[in-house]
Amino acid sequence: MVESMEFSADDLRDAAGDVVFARGEDYVRHVRDLRVDDSRARASVRATRAYDVLLDWTGGRISGTCTCPHNAEGNFCKHLVAVGLSALGYSSDGRPDDVEIGDYLEHLDRDALRDLVLALVDRDESALRVVQTRALASGSADAIDSAELVTMVNASLRVGFVEYQRSFEVAQEAQNVLDSLQEILDSGAADAVLPALERAATRLRKIILNADDSGGVIGDACQRAVDLHAQAACAGRPDGVRLGRWLAKFRIDSPGWPDVTLDMYVDAFDEKAMSAYRAAVQQEDQAKRGIDHWHRFEIDRMLLELADHGGDLEEAIRLLSSEEHPQFGAIVARLRTAGRPADALQWIDRAVAEGRVSGFGQNGNDYWISPEDAANSYLGVGRAEDAVAVARAEFVQRQDPASLRLLLQIAGSLGTADAERAWAISAAEKAASAPFGSGSALIEIALAEGDLVAAWSAAERFGPGGSWRRLAEDSADELPVAAAELYRPEIERLLQISNTRNYPPAAKLLVIMRGLYARVDEQATFTAYIADIRARFGRRPSLMKELDRRGI
């Protein structure tokens, strides 16, 4: 047992500030497994989430670490305050370590134990949640007061401007509330907890609109609230019409976050609920006709979901093609799913004609068709010339190994791979010889094919361009001196003007250059180059210091 402490409650208040200190006082009751020695206190703080805390007052300076987000941002958190206050109480109370609460409880009769539990739940909200959850598990469905849960949410999630530093505290409080609500939901009280989750989602969305949530932590809490709300709605028996209207309004009023979809709630909707939802969306659609796409993005998204859900493919296509550029990828995917490949091919033709065939389509961008998709679709219906044309257009646009592979793949099925490769190399050489061109594309293609000789030939004819480093790295073993010289232009570029930010990367390249010359015992060449740099830039002390630091 520790006889005395080398810090006080005032020290904790100075470290945390008045607001966090007050919150820490409320968390003293959640401190568990406290262990105190001469200069440290360790414990866990278990409210609705558990955090590991280490408080240190070595040398009279109080500090500590906690696994909570607020402390991770460099703040002295409420959990550190709680452990510090508990440590102070621990030392002054002199409570023996071997006292077990269980021994005390075993001697209480039923009435005394009941009175004790009621006193605890009246004093401690987290204890109330535990008792409610146990009661639900035993079949006592009336243990939850929905109105009381809504009151808890209102008290915990107050709307007002939240600065960045405080956003982590606000988010943690929200997550604590959601932990409690999820425990009740998981116990089977979906209908009882639904109003509180609805309030939590709505409140958190309002907070986002008045917060610097650069860290995204409040947004994460809001997303979780909606996810739990949808789960509760689908598990319970909500008023479907009210739920449909609420969902439509919530999505329309949201600033693009949280991410909510009809699929999340559709299992909770009967025909009347779906009709109410559809009517609310259509009403908003009429009210915002003529407004630009970005201001009606969520409305269009909801209309598309309704069309997909109702199996109205023509309406879905109308919506997907209503902007300046149709969402070709999304349209083709739906037509194929519906078993209409001929119609899908017509939309591919449109995409090709409008220049909307690109590698963007490979990354899930619905506004584009991928070149592979277009070319293979044409091959599948015997349109070989169109397939080659798509692959050629892609190569002209990208001029990289991937686009060449596509062209050769298409041409290979037609027996014209050699001819197409010759065409592609010729096209790349023409682009390389144009003003401001370089051999970069040819170098990348040659290196991808393992042809170092062709890569150096392109570099000598057209210059290495942006591929100089790749060529240098791939040539380090076979041509170390030539590889070393590729670093020289970049080093000179970095040193062209006096800029201290350029000195570390320049020095790093010099180190690589030195290593390459050392491979063939040509350090003298590198030494001469360094002497030249020191002679030219000797009046730049920061550069000289960086070279000295690197041992150059």
Side-chain angles (χ1 to χ4, degrees):
M1 192 184 317
V2 180
E3 296 297 332
S4 62
M5 292 294 174
E6 296 180 7
F7 69 93
S8 66
D10 288 338
D11 294 324
L12 293 170
R13 187 188 299 274
D14 291 341
D18 291 340
V19 174
V20 176
F21 180 83
R23 294 192 177 108
E25 287 182 305
D26 291 337
Y27 269 70
V28 169
R29 64 182 184 272
H30 299 308
V31 175
R32 302 289 185 271
D33 304 324
L34 180 67
R35 303 181 301 283
V36 184
D37 58 30
D38 291 335
S39 60
R40 290 182 174 184
R42 293 178 176 83
S44 61
V45 178
R46 303 175 191 168
T48 50
R49 291 195 175 189
Y51 296 109
D52 295 325
V53 181
L54 170 63
L55 185 72
D56 190 318
W57 55 92
T58 305
R61 180 179 176 274
I62 192 164
S63 62
T65 59
C66 175
T67 54
C68 75
H70 190 55
N71 182 256
E73 290 294 312
N75 301 297
F76 197 94
C77 65
K78 63 190 175 187
H79 307 108
L80 284 167
V81 173
V83 170
L85 292 174
S86 296
L88 291 170
Y90 175 92
S91 63
S92 60
D93 291 345
R95 185 178 66 183
D97 294 339
D98 58 357
V99 172
E100 293 288 345
I101 293 177
D103 293 340
Y104 166 68
L105 296 176
E106 286 181 2
H107 292 87
L108 296 180
D109 61 28
R110 181 184 180 89
D111 290 340
L113 188 60
R114 178 179 181 277
D115 291 342
L116 175 61
V117 171
L118 289 175
L120 287 172
V121 299
D122 184 58
R123 178 179 178 180
D124 187 339
E125 192 171 278
S126 63
L128 172 61
R129 301 288 166 249
V130 172
V131 173
Q132 286 177 328
T133 302
R134 296 290 178 84
L136 283 167
S138 66
S140 301
D142 294 334
I144 299 297
D145 183 343
S146 292
E148 187 259 342
L149 292 179
V150 172
T151 299
M152 176 189 73
V153 171
N154 288 340
S156 302
L157 305 179
R158 299 184 182 278
V159 179
F161 179 73
V162 179
E163 61 184 1
Y164 173 73
Q165 288 293 341
R166 188 166 168 264
S167 67
F168 295 91
E169 258 187 75
V170 170
Q172 187 56 59
E173 291 295 335
Q175 294 287 8
N176 291 342
V177 170
L178 294 173
D179 284 342
S180 296
L181 297 178
Q182 183 169 1
E183 286 182 13
I184 297 171
L185 173 60
D186 291 344
S187 297
D191 289 325
V193 79
L194 185 64
L197 287 169
E198 178 182 308
R199 183 62 59 87
T202 305
R203 277 290 176 92
L204 283 166
R205 188 193 60 196
K206 289 182 179 179
I207 292 173
I208 290 174
L209 293 172
N210 293 281
D212 179 355
D213 189 31
S214 303
V217 289
I218 301 177
D220 289 342
C222 187
Q223 184 67 59
R224 183 187 176 197
V226 172
D227 291 343
L228 289 174
H229 181 260
Q231 182 182 336
C234 293
R237 293 179 296 177
D239 180 338
V241 172
R242 183 189 178 282
L243 178 65
R245 290 170 179 164
W246 175 86
L247 179 60
K249 186 176 189 308
F250 183 85
R251 295 184 66 177
I252 291 165
D253 292 345
S254 293
W257 189 261
D259 184 28
V260 190
T261 65
L262 176 60
D263 283 345
M264 293 167 61
Y265 286 89
V266 73
D267 288 343
F269 283 5
D270 56 15
E271 187 175 338
K272 288 184 178 179
M274 185 62 73
S275 295
Y277 177 76
R278 183 180 290 105
V281 174
Q282 290 173 343
Q283 181 178 357
E284 191 68 19
D285 173 41
Q286 292 293 330
K288 291 190 176 179
R289 284 288 171 89
I291 296 178
D292 67 89
H293 168 68
W294 296 111
H295 286 88
R296 52 173 290 124
F297 176 83
E298 191 67 18
I299 298 170
D300 290 339
R301 186 178 178 219
M302 288 190 287
L303 289 169
L304 180 60
E305 289 175 348
L306 285 168
D308 285 338
H309 180 76
D312 191 344
L313 180 57
E314 299 309 318
E315 174 64 7
I317 291 174
R318 185 191 70 78
L319 290 165
L320 290 167
S321 58
S322 61
E323 303 170 42
E324 179 183 358
H325 296 294
Q327 297 183 47
F328 291 105
I331 293 171
V332 168
R334 282 168 171 77
L335 286 168
R336 285 173 173 163
T337 300
R340 293 167 56 179
D343 291 334
L345 194 62
Q346 288 182 2
W347 278 97
I348 291 175
D349 286 338
R350 284 188 57 179
V352 170
E354 294 184 24
R356 307 300 287 182
V357 176
S358 168
F360 292 126
Q362 295 170 310
N363 301 320
N365 189 322
D366 286 338
Y367 288 85
W368 300 80
I369 299 291
S370 76
E372 291 88 342
D373 189 354
N376 287 320
S377 295
Y378 286 144
L379 279 182
V381 294
R383 293 169 57 178
E385 290 185 3
D386 290 334
V388 171
V390 166
R392 280 190 170 195
E394 177 67 2
F395 180 80
V396 169
Q397 182 179 6
R398 293 175 59 182
Q399 292 194 20
D400 62 3
S403 57
L404 178 60
R405 281 194 297 270
L406 173 63
L407 176 59
L408 297 183
Q409 173 196 332
I410 300 301
S413 65
L414 304 172
T416 59
D418 290 342
E420 290 303 325
R421 189 182 190 284
W423 172 87
I425 297 301
S426 176
E429 289 176 343
K430 182 178 180 181
S433 61
F436 307 107
S438 75
S440 181
L442 290 163
I443 291 169
E444 294 293 334
I445 290 169
L447 292 178
E449 295 176 344
D451 191 343
L452 195 59
V453 173
W456 273 101
S457 175
E460 291 166 359
R461 292 173 62 194
F462 307 109
S467 295
W468 68 267
R469 184 183 290 255
R470 171 81 189 282
L471 180 59
E473 291 171 349
D474 283 19
S475 304
D477 292 332
E478 296 185 33
L479 302 167
V481 173
E485 286 303 311
L486 286 171
Y487 289 92
R488 193 186 294 258
E490 179 65 9
I491 293 168
E492 293 297 321
R493 185 191 69 78
L494 289 169
L495 299 182
Q496 185 175 5
I497 61 173
S498 179
N499 186 336
T500 57
R501 289 182 298 181
N502 289 347
Y503 299 157
K508 185 177 180 180
L509 295 182
L510 284 166
V511 170
I512 297 172
M513 194 178 185
R514 178 178 61 186
L516 290 168
Y517 278 119
R519 292 189 180 194
V520 289
D521 294 327
E522 290 199 22
Q523 293 94 327
T525 303
F526 179 75
T527 301
Y529 183 43
I530 291 299
D532 176 61
I533 288 177
R534 286 185 176 274
R536 285 186 288 143
F537 305 115
R539 294 185 179 181
R540 297 184 187 179
S542 295
L543 174 59
M544 298 300 106
K545 183 177 179 180
E546 183 64 27
L547 295 178
D548 292 340
R549 188 179 74 83
R550 296 271 187 171
I552 302 173

